[in-house]
């Protein structure tokens, strides 16, 4: 059954996973010359939560995408270079099980890596969203060199993929894409019908990369999703991409890589931290593919319903369980049942059984008790009941020694041929039980002492194994005589697969039980999904190395002669510490754990120290008016990092005037502004002035008489725009006798009056002597003040700046203002050089702008 995360709590838990093996191989690796150490892989849950804290998660669709895009853009403080991706890949894509190797994307193949090449078997930089020869976006910078976007791939496979979009392809032999000249690599990719189909386990990761690119760079380069093959600035099929995103949940490797790139670039891939953002955005962004994506979300099961107002309100169970009879102590198996959830919006959805807890119907425990006939399906505060099971008394008789002194093994040299052992997660109080499918069950165990070094009674369900020495490895044999083996990662078997196991025990008593076929992994206890099986992933708070306990009655001593031929890089064998110029030394050791006398160099160099030295020798860039000078960090050994720090003062702005522009009836106006011609910083913002209203006057096209009607239209006196054309002028009822009245011009403060004619017969007012245009509004509105550019006078003695501005309409109208001077010393006077002071006056009154003046003195 596919493992899936069902809520954000598991996502947040996964954020703090650490890849311990990888840490030891990566300390001191540099990005360019940027030192990247342990912090590249460890980011606390609080840090990640804080990163997204200001988002308004009640939004959906384009509104939410806009907020998310702004967040990952403004936090993208350092852009990786196309050349520098080699060092990024060494950190972010390193194989945790093979130091010096990286993992090729799309296929998961591990390969050694020292740089990029072009021939088969070489490593290329893959643009997951194809650059299309640089037509989609910058090929070697910005989107084209983003560490979250580009991934390492094999050259031939990369070339075959080209600019193809992604989609589901028939997995036939004819469609296999070659990698390094072969179609026999482990995780096959396919190509057909203009689509590329990544290997299993890389489809979800592909979708999450593309969603990041569309969110981070979509607005800049007009990148969009489509539900077809797409081309250049479009890519698809998005319905397949969303299906992959939901079917292949975020992996620990993706989380670790997200942390590594975050520590390099400053921004994160939000679809790894919050997979639910995918449906929240792309199911509701108003695009034509929305209904198709909503259908996929319902079919597969989304991470969280993106609409926060829609809640799961009711559960119901359908079908008949495949297994109805149980023994006390077993867990309920819901196979054969389906759970239907009803939501507050009336919709229903069949949900995966793994979403729920299946508990004893009487005491709500995870294991069934004798006599129970019901189980509870529980999701938060909701539950549904399933009846009809039978739970009998546990009459199983334990096989082999289940009592006695089972002791914690702290030294691999104490293990002997024939020993009886059990595998335990000490911190979780769990012991490995019988094989269930492809993993060992998790069974509760009780320790006999507070230090958890002794187990007096082994549970009946525990799996007891006998050690059988084979060369430097061991076989793990069950009481029935079958060898415990591995056929793949997370796939255990009895009597088949790799049955040889290497065993080593660290100083903290944790045991590494490693398949001799390293790719099958080693035993880990999965806290989140309780079980013991082999994983290729690294240890973390939810993936724990186990401990071994053996029974004092088992085993026969076999002669052992120490052979000091093991090169173990561990503090237990350390002879001298590493420095930034010399690796540490370690004593050769024996397989039994004993330490020899000869030494070897191992591990990594320590990171160079990062000292701040302000000197032209280490200057990286000169100061400007917007950025202080930068200097390279340096180490006592002479190493100069490419990391920089800022120091010193800013240079003064080079201010230029942005001229004002009067508004007319056809265009908006602008107020006077100011900006720096070097850094474009705006010191006085220009304000847009609304367009003036049209000044319409009536134009007579045909004069009315007593016998005929006339025609007229309105026309703006400024821009000549017409309206109300062919307006009819009624016939005259009489011949007007007109008296003319002079108009009065408007002033700044007072309204004026338009000139007009007054008919002495009808007592009506007209604008024309023929009486065709009746005067409806004679008022000319006051002009208001329109201030000219002010003049300024600096009085350094009084510390004031005085400004005067005259009205353009009436020179007798003017206004004055004054502002305090703020002094900044640019250069102090010495016995040889004059001093320079910058005085700045900030005016707040209309028509006055901020002013600066330099003052020199000796």
């Amino acid at each position: 059954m596919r493992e899936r995360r069902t809520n954000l709590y598991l996502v947040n838990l996964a954020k703090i996973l650490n890849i311990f093996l990888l840490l030891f191989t990566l300390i001191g690796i540099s990005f360019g010359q940027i030192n990247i150490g342990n912090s590249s892989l460890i980011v606390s849950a609080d840090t990640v939560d804080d990163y997204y804290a200001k988002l308004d998660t009640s939004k959906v669709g384009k509104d939410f995408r806009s907020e998310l895009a702004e967040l990952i853009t403004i936090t993208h403080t350092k852009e990786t270079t196309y050349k520098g991706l080699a060092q990024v890949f060494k950190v972010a894509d390193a194989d945790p099980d093979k130091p010096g190797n990286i993992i090729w994307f799309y296929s998961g193949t591990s390969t050694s890596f020292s740089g990029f090449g072009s021939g088969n078997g070489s490593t290329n930089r893959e643009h997951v969203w194809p650059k299309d020869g640089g037509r989609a976006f910058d090929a070697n910078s910005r989107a084209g060199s983003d560490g979250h976007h580009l991934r390492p791939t094999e050259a031939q496979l990369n070339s075959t993929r080209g600019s193809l979009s992604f989609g589901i392809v028939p997995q036939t032999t004819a469609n296999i894409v070659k990698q390094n000249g072969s179609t026999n690599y482990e995780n096959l990719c396919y190509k057909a019908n203009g689509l590329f189909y990544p290997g299993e386990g890389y489809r979800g990761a592909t979708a999450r990369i593309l969603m990041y690119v569309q969110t981070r760079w979509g607005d800049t380069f007009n990148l969009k999703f489509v539900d077809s093959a797409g081309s250049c600035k479009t890519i698809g099929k998005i319905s397949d991409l969303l299906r992959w995103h939901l079917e292949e949940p975020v992996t620990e490797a993706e989380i670790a890589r997200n942390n590594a790139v975050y520590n390099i670039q400053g921004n994160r891939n939000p679809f790894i931290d919050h997979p639910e953002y995918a449906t929240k955005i792309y199911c509701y962004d108003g695009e034509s593919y929305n209904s198709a994506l909503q259908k996929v979300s319902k079919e597969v099961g989304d991470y969280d319903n993106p609409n926060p107002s829609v809640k799961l309100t009711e559960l119901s169970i359908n079908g008949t369980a495949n297994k109805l009879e149980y023994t006390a102590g077993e867990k309920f198996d819901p196979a054969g049942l389906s759970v239907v959830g009803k939501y507050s919006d009336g919709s229903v959805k069949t949900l995966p059984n793994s979403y729920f807890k299946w508990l004893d119907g009487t005491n709500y425990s995870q294991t069934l008790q004798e006599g129970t006939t019901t189980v509870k399906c529980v999701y938060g505060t909701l539950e549904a009941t399933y009846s009809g099971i039978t739970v009998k008394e546990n009459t199983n008789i334990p096989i082999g020694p289940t009592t006695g002194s089972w002791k914690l093994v702290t030294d691999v040299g104490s293990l002997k041929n024939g020993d009886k052992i059990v595998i335990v997660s000490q911190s979780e109080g769990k012991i490995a039980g019988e094989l269930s499918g492809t993993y060992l069950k998790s069974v509760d165990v009780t320790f006999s002492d507070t230090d958890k070094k002794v187990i007096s009674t082994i549970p009946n369900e525990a799996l007891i194994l006998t050690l059988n020495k084979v060369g430097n490895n061991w076989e793990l044999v069950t009481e029935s005589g079958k060898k415990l083996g591995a056929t793949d990662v997370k796939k255990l078997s009895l009597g088949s697969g790799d049955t040889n196991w290497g065993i080593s025990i660290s100083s903290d008593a944790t045991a590494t039980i490693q398949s001799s076929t390293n790719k099958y992994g080693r035993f880990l206890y999965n806290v989140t999904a309780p079980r013991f099986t082999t994983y290729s992933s690294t240890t973390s708070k939810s993936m724990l190395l186990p401990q071994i306990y053996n029974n004092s009655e088992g085993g026969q001593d076999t002669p052992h002669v120490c052979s000091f031929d093991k090169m173990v890089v561990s503090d237990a064998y350390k002879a001298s510490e590493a420095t930034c110029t010399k690796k540490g030394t370690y004593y050769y050791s024996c397989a039994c754990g004993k330490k020899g006398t000869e030494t070897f160099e191992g591990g990594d160099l320590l990171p160079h120290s990062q000292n701040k030295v302000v000197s032209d020798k280490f200057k990286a860039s000169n100061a400007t008016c917007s950025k202080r000078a930068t200097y390279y960090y340096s180490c006592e050994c002479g190493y100069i990092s490419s990391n920089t720090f800022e120091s010193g003062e800013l240079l003064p702005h080079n201010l230029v005037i942005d001229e004002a522009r009067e508004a007319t009836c056809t265009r908006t106006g602008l107020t006077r502004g100011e900006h720096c011609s070097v850094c474009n910083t705006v010191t006085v913002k220009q304000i847009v002035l609304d367009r003036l209203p049209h000044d319409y006057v009536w134009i007579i096209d045909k004069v009315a008489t007593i016998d005929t009607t006339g025609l007229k239209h309105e026309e703006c006196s400024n821009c000549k725009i017409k309206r109300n054309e062919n307006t009819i002028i009624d016939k005259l009822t009489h011949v007007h006798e007109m008296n003319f009245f002079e108009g009065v011009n408007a002033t700044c403060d007072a309204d004026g009056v338009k000139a007009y004619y007054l008919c002495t017969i009808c007592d009506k007012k007209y604008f024309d002597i023929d009486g065709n245009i009746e005067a409806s509004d004679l008022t000319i509105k006051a002009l208001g003040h329109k201030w000219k550019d002010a003049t300024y006078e600096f009085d350094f003695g009084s510390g004031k700046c005085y400004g005067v501005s005259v009205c353009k309409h009436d020179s007798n109208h003017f206004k004055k203002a004054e502002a305090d001077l703020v002094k900044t010393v640019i250069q102090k006077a010495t016995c040889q050089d004059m001093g320079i002071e910058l005085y700045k006056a900030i005016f707040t009154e209309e028509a006055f702008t901020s002013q600066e003046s330099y003052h020199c003195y000796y």
Side-chain angles (χ1 to χ4, degrees):
M1 182 181 294
R2 183 179 73 245
E3 294 183 17
R4 304 197 55 227
R5 279 191 279 185
T6 60
N7 56 54
L8 293 181
Y9 294 106
L10 297 182
V11 175
N12 288 332
L13 176 63
K15 293 175 188 173
I16 57 174
L17 293 171
N18 306 324
I19 302 183
F20 292 107
L21 290 178
L22 186 59
L23 291 179
F24 290 112
T25 65
L26 295 180
I27 298 173
I29 290 177
S30 62
F31 164 63
Q33 287 184 324
I34 301 175
N35 193 31
I36 299 174
N38 299 14
S39 61
S40 297
L41 302 169
I42 305 174
V43 176
S44 72
D46 289 341
T47 298
V48 178
D49 289 342
D50 290 345
Y51 183 84
Y52 299 100
K54 294 184 179 180
L55 290 179
D56 182 358
T57 55
S58 66
K59 295 181 179 180
V60 297
K62 290 182 178 178
D63 290 341
F64 183 69
R65 180 194 168 280
S66 294
E67 279 201 17
L68 197 59
E70 181 179 7
L71 172 65
I72 64 176
T73 298
I74 63 176
T75 56
H76 192 169
T77 55
K78 184 174 181 61
E79 291 191 11
T80 52
T81 65
Y82 194 62
K83 181 179 179 181
L85 286 171
Q87 302 304 329
V88 175
F89 292 166
K90 287 179 181 179
V91 177
D93 298 278
D95 185 344
D97 296 323
K98 294 182 180 179
N101 276 25
I102 62 170
I103 302 294
W104 277 335
F105 195 61
Y106 296 138
S107 66
T109 303
S110 178
T111 183
S112 61
F113 177 69
S114 58
F116 301 114
S118 57
N120 287 1
S122 300
T123 297
N124 279 179
R125 289 158 282 204
E126 160 69 342
H127 295 82
V128 181
W129 192 301
K131 62 183 183 296
D132 199 30
R135 293 192 303 141
F137 45 77
D138 303 332
N140 299 328
S141 62
R142 307 182 77 192
S145 64
D146 190 324
H148 285 299
H149 173 200
L150 276 79
R151 301 298 295 269
T153 56
E154 191 275 328
Q156 184 181 25
L157 186 145
N158 181 37
S159 177
T160 304
R161 187 260 158 152
S163 296
L164 296 178
S165 285
F166 296 95
I168 298 172
V169 168
Q171 298 182 53
T172 63
T173 302
N175 291 340
I176 296 175
V177 175
K178 286 186 178 181
Q179 177 178 272
N180 193 17
S182 172
T183 57
N184 293 323
Y185 56 98
E186 188 170 337
N187 195 7
L188 298 175
C189 301
Y190 299 85
K191 167 194 168 185
N193 306 320
L195 297 173
F196 183 80
Y197 195 25
E200 184 177 0
Y202 287 88
R203 296 159 195 165
T206 297
R208 287 181 279 277
I209 291 171
L210 294 174
M211 292 171 186
Y212 165 83
V213 173
Q214 199 277 327
T215 303
R216 169 63 182 90
W217 298 104
D219 295 338
T220 304
F221 296 104
N222 196 28
L223 306 178
K224 296 180 179 180
F225 284 123
V226 292
D227 205 20
S228 57
S231 175
C232 190
K233 291 182 178 293
T234 57
I235 199 165
K237 299 179 54 176
I238 189 172
S239 56
D240 287 342
L241 295 173
L242 182 66
R243 182 179 298 276
W244 297 348
H245 171 63
L246 298 174
E247 288 181 341
E248 292 191 347
V250 176
T251 65
E252 295 173 16
E254 282 183 88
I255 295 168
R257 190 180 197 280
N258 196 20
N259 290 340
V261 179
Y262 164 68
N263 282 326
I264 295 170
Q265 294 188 174
N267 68 341
R268 302 185 65 82
N269 182 337
F271 301 98
I272 294 175
D273 294 329
H274 288 279
E276 73 277 11
Y277 288 174
T279 49
K280 178 188 282 287
I281 293 173
Y282 296 111
C283 286
Y284 300 92
D285 62 356
E287 299 292 341
S288 59
Y289 50 65
N290 286 166
S291 59
L293 299 193
Q294 291 168 18
K295 181 179 179 182
V296 170
S297 178
K298 291 179 180 179
E299 289 177 357
V300 182
D302 53 7
Y303 280 92
D304 273 335
N305 194 300
N307 187 341
S309 64
V310 179
K311 306 292 184 183
L312 185 63
T313 58
E314 186 180 331
L315 301 176
S316 60
I317 303 175
N318 298 329
T320 302
N322 295 344
K323 182 178 179 180
L324 297 174
E325 295 185 359
Y326 292 87
T327 300
E330 288 189 274
K331 292 183 179 180
F332 179 72
D333 183 356
L337 301 179
S338 62
V339 182
V340 176
K342 184 176 180 180
Y343 291 84
S344 57
D345 64 352
S347 63
V348 294
K349 183 187 300 183
T350 299
L351 303 171
N353 289 338
S354 59
Y355 270 31
F356 309 100
K357 293 181 180 179
W358 297 86
L359 307 177
D360 185 289
T362 303
N363 61 11
Y364 285 81
S365 65
Q366 291 189 348
T367 56
L368 301 174
Q369 67 175 5
E370 181 183 351
T372 294
T373 60
T374 62
V375 291
K376 297 289 186 181
C377 171
V378 179
Y379 183 86
T381 59
L382 300 177
E383 62 179 51
T385 303
Y386 180 73
S387 303
I389 67 169
T390 302
V391 183
K392 299 178 180 179
E393 178 186 0
N394 188 348
T395 58
N396 290 339
I397 300 175
I399 300 174
T402 60
T403 60
S405 183
W406 291 82
K407 296 181 179 179
L408 176 65
V409 178
T410 59
D411 182 359
V412 73
S414 67
L415 293 177
K416 302 179 289 297
N417 203 44
D419 269 1
K420 303 286 187 181
I421 68 165
V422 289
I423 301 172
V424 175
S425 177
Q426 191 184 69
S427 62
E428 300 301 308
K430 302 293 183 181
I431 190 169
E434 63 184 17
L435 187 66
S436 173
T438 59
Y439 59 86
L440 302 181
K441 290 183 177 180
S442 172
V443 179
D444 293 334
V445 67
T446 302
F447 299 95
S448 304
D449 60 334
T450 57
D451 293 334
K452 298 183 179 182
K453 294 183 178 180
V454 179
I455 303 173
S456 296
T457 302
I458 298 296
N460 295 334
E461 302 90 344
L463 179 66
I464 299 174
L465 299 166
T466 301
L467 293 178
N468 182 28
K469 188 78 170 180
V470 180
N472 291 325
N473 292 330
W474 303 85
E475 291 177 336
L476 307 178
V477 185
T478 67
E479 294 291 327
S480 61
K482 292 185 178 180
K483 298 175 184 178
L484 183 64
T487 60
D488 205 340
V489 177
K490 296 191 288 188
K491 291 184 180 179
L492 296 176
S493 67
L494 290 178
S496 63
D498 176 29
T499 58
N500 284 346
W501 303 88
I503 299 178
S504 62
I505 297 177
S506 300
S507 58
D508 61 357
T510 54
T512 299
I513 308 172
Q514 176 81 46
S515 165
S516 62
T517 301
N518 286 337
K519 64 181 180 181
Y520 292 169
R522 57 185 174 166
F523 271 94
L524 294 176
Y525 177 69
N526 189 330
V527 176
T528 304
R531 64 186 63 184
F532 293 84
T533 189
T534 53
Y535 294 87
S536 60
S537 58
T538 55
T539 57
S540 66
K541 288 188 177 180
S542 62
M543 302 293 285
L544 307 176
L545 282 170
Q547 290 78 28
I548 293 175
Y549 287 72
N550 71 341
N551 188 275
S552 60
E553 299 175 4
Q556 300 294 326
D557 288 330
T558 56
H560 172 70
V561 177
C562 286
S563 176
F564 297 106
D565 57 359
K566 302 296 181 185
M567 299 174 67
V568 180
V569 178
S570 166
D571 285 345
Y573 304 105
K574 184 176 287 183
S576 66
E577 298 287 346
T579 68
C580 61
T581 57
K582 187 177 181 181
K583 294 182 178 181
T585 59
Y586 299 82
Y587 294 106
Y588 285 93
S589 59
C590 178
C592 70
K594 291 184 179 179
K595 183 168 61 177
T597 58
E598 299 295 325
T599 62
F600 66 94
E601 284 192 355
D604 294 291
L605 300 176
L606 293 183
H608 292 285
S609 60
Q610 300 280 315
N611 300 319
K612 290 185 176 181
V613 180
V614 178
S615 165
D616 287 344
K617 177 181 178 181
F618 303 116
K619 182 176 282 187
S621 65
N622 293 320
T624 68
C625 52
S626 61
K627 189 174 181 180
R628 294 187 297 171
T630 59
Y631 300 84
Y632 294 111
Y633 287 95
S634 59
C635 180
E636 292 84 349
C637 71
Y639 164 84
I640 300 177
S641 169
S642 61
N643 285 337
T644 60
F645 64 93
E646 291 186 357
S647 183
E649 301 296 331
L650 299 177
L651 297 182
H653 289 299
N654 182 28
L655 297 177
V656 295
I657 302 299
D658 299 311
E659 297 295 338
R661 183 181 73 195
E662 290 189 8
T664 68
C665 57
T666 58
R667 71 175 185 184
T668 58
L670 288 172
T671 61
R672 178 183 177 279
E674 238 179 42
H675 76 277
C676 176
S677 63
V678 177
C679 67
N680 289 321
T681 297
V682 176
T683 56
V684 179
K685 184 178 180 180
Q686 286 188 291
I687 299 173
V688 178
L689 304 175
D690 292 337
R691 289 190 304 177
L692 299 177
H694 291 292
D695 182 20
Y696 286 105
V697 296
W698 284 102
I699 304 297
I700 304 299
D701 301 309
K702 178 183 176 184
V703 176
T705 67
I706 296 176
D707 300 318
T708 61
T709 59
L711 293 175
K712 63 181 179 179
H713 70 272
E714 284 187 293
E715 187 173 295
C716 177
S717 60
N718 295 319
C719 66
K720 306 306 179 184
I721 290 178
K722 297 179 181 180
R723 69 178 184 184
N724 296 326
E725 295 184 77
N726 297 317
T727 299
I728 295 175
I729 304 172
D730 294 335
K731 296 178 182 179
L732 300 179
T733 57
H734 62 275
V735 176
H736 293 295
E737 292 183 5
M738 299 292 194
N739 289 333
F740 179 71
F741 290 86
E742 291 284 352
V744 178
N745 292 329
T747 67
C748 298
D749 303 316
D751 292 341
V753 179
K754 298 177 184 178
Y756 65 92
Y757 294 89
L758 176 65
C759 176
T760 58
I761 297 175
C762 61
D763 202 30
K764 292 184 179 180
K765 298 173 183 177
Y766 296 91
F767 285 129
D768 64 309
I769 195 169
D770 296 317
N772 288 311
I773 305 175
E774 190 171 352
S776 58
D777 184 6
L778 297 174
T779 302
I780 302 172
K781 291 184 179 180
L783 300 176
H785 294 296
K786 192 167 186 66
W787 304 108
K788 296 181 181 179
D789 288 346
T791 59
Y792 300 92
E793 179 180 350
F794 281 82
D795 187 341
F796 300 113
S798 66
K800 298 284 186 178
C801 179
Y802 300 98
V804 177
S805 182
V806 178
C807 179
K808 292 183 179 180
H809 299 139
D810 188 340
S811 60
N812 292 319
H813 293 164
F814 60 91
K815 65 187 304 186
K816 296 181 179 181
E818 67 178 47
D820 293 332
L821 296 177
V822 178
K823 181 177 72 173
T824 301
V825 177
I826 303 300
Q827 178 177 298
K828 292 184 178 180
T830 67
C831 57
Q832 295 179 334
D833 298 317
M834 67 179 179
I836 302 175
E837 296 173 336
L838 171 64
Y839 287 87
K840 188 166 185 177
I842 306 297
F843 286 90
T844 59
E845 294 87 345
E846 182 186 2
F848 297 95
T849 60
S850 299
Q851 297 294 311
E852 290 184 356
S853 177
Y854 289 94
H855 176 242
C856 300
Y857 66 97
Y858 286 95

